[in-house]
Amino acid sequence: MSCSSILRNTQRQRDLVGLSLCLTLYKLCNGRQFESMEGSTFVNFLNLRAPLPIIVRKKEKTRVCYLIHKVADHLREVCLANEWKEQMLGICNIGIGFYKSHYLDAESSDAKMNKLFCKELKEAILAAKYYDD
């Protein structure tokens, strides 16, 4: 069975990204990294069930790459992280080459907005872990 078919079967059965993490990321990213959307749409987006195209806001592509990179480490099925990243990049209309060149830019940047985003993302992930435990 290929990774793609395993991922499709897994996402039908359960969420890859837990609800607590989805909600903390929604508060962080909705209207900032992505065009505004309903919470349920965001949850479906992170779990690869988004019904509509997701629009990455202007000048947010590198932060979205960083977000995808960090969230992949916290999937419920970590073995599916690479396939999940590829599908997320496709949904966000970000090429794999761009991702590989820029996914750590936000973390290594001295820009105030990047530092703030990285800090808030770390806090969101920690908050979600607190609620899941």
Side-chain angles (χ1 to χ4, degrees):
M1 188 178 275
S2 74
C3 283
S4 294
S5 62
I6 291 171
L7 183 61
R8 279 192 296 277
N9 289 334
T10 301
Q11 72 191 43
R12 276 189 217 117
Q13 295 170 10
R14 65 185 291 212
D15 291 340
L16 291 171
V17 182
L19 185 58
S20 296
L21 183 54
C22 289
L23 295 177
T24 59
L25 295 176
Y26 177 74
K27 287 179 73 174
L28 173 64
C29 300
N30 190 47
R32 290 174 65 187
Q33 281 66 47
F34 305 101
E35 290 295 324
S36 292
M37 64 185 93
E38 296 294 322
S40 57
T41 301
F42 191 79
V43 170
N44 285 331
F45 157 59
L46 289 179
N47 285 290
L48 305 176
R49 295 187 296 259
L52 304 169
I54 300 301
I55 300 170
V56 175
R57 295 191 74 191
K58 205 173 199 177
K59 298 183 180 183
E60 292 297 327
K61 211 184 242 190
T62 57
R63 284 189 275 268
V64 170
C65 289
Y66 183 70
L67 171 74
I68 290 170
H69 168 68
K70 295 307 261 184
V71 172
D73 293 338
H74 299 280
L75 296 180
R76 289 183 169 166
E77 302 288 337
V78 179
C79 63
L80 299 174
N82 287 333
E83 183 70 23
W84 179 84
K85 281 187 224 178
E86 288 176 15
Q87 289 195 32
M88 287 295 292
L89 291 169
I91 293 168
C92 294
N93 199 28
I94 298 172
I96 192 73
F98 183 89
Y99 172 81
K100 287 181 178 180
S101 296
H102 299 285
Y103 73 97
L104 291 176
D105 286 2
E107 186 176 73
S108 60
S109 170
D110 288 333
K112 184 179 175 182
M113 291 303 294
N114 284 338
K115 286 183 180 287
L116 179 62
F117 176 74
C118 292
K119 177 182 175 283
E120 290 176 336
L121 178 59
K122 183 178 180 179
E123 290 170 357
I125 291 169
L126 287 173
K129 280 185 179 183
Y130 172 79
Y131 289 112
D132 285 340
D133 288 341

